[in-house]
Amino acid sequence: MKKVLFFTFIMAFSASLSAQTVPGINTSDVKKSGMDAVSKENPNMDAQIKDALTKDEGLQKETIDYLKSNPETTKSLANIAAENKGSNQGIMKAILGDKDLASAAIDYISKNPELLSKAMKVIGM
C-alpha cells in the first residue's frame, strides 16, 4: 500500500512540474528561432518560397496584403497593381521580378512559421 501511495505522490508531483511554464521563454520566439535555423540549413529556401508563391493563391493573397500594409513597399506595390489590373498571379510575378519586393515577400514568409509551413506543404516538403 505504501508503494502505491508513494507512486501516486511521484506522479502528481511530476505532473504539477510539467504543467508549469518556464519564465522568460516565449514559445513564439522558440518557434521563430527554429524556423530561422531551418532556413539557414536549407540554402534553397528562397527558391522554394518563390515556387510556392507562384503556385498557391492563398499564399499570394496573404503576401500581397502584407506588402500593401508595409510602408516600405506600399508605393511600389500600388504601381504594380495598377499595371496588372488586380490579377494576383500577375502581381505576384511582378513582385518576384522586383528584387526589393521579392526580398520583402520572402522575408515575410520565412519569418512567419504558419506561412512557411504552408509554403513547404505547397511544394511538397
Side-chain angles (χ1 to χ4, degrees), residues 16-86:
S16 69
L17 285 179
S18 66
Q20 296 177 1
T21 59
V22 178
I25 296 178
N26 187 347
T27 56
S28 64
D29 291 340
V30 172
K31 289 179 184 175
K32 287 179 185 177
S33 67
M35 288 301 182
D36 288 343
V38 168
S39 64
K40 289 177 184 175
E41 289 174 9
N42 191 349
N44 296 327
M45 184 67 70
D46 291 355
Q48 293 170 342
I49 291 173
K50 283 182 180 182
D51 188 34
L53 281 170
T54 59
K55 293 179 180 178
D56 187 72
E57 290 182 25
L59 200 57
Q60 290 173 357
K61 184 177 181 333
E62 289 183 51
T63 304
I64 291 169
D65 288 344
Y66 164 74
L67 293 174
K68 283 180 186 176
S69 65
N70 184 351
E72 297 174 3
T73 58
T74 302
K75 189 173 182 178
S76 298
L77 190 64
N79 293 336
I80 289 173
E83 291 172 4
N84 290 291
K85 298 181 173 100

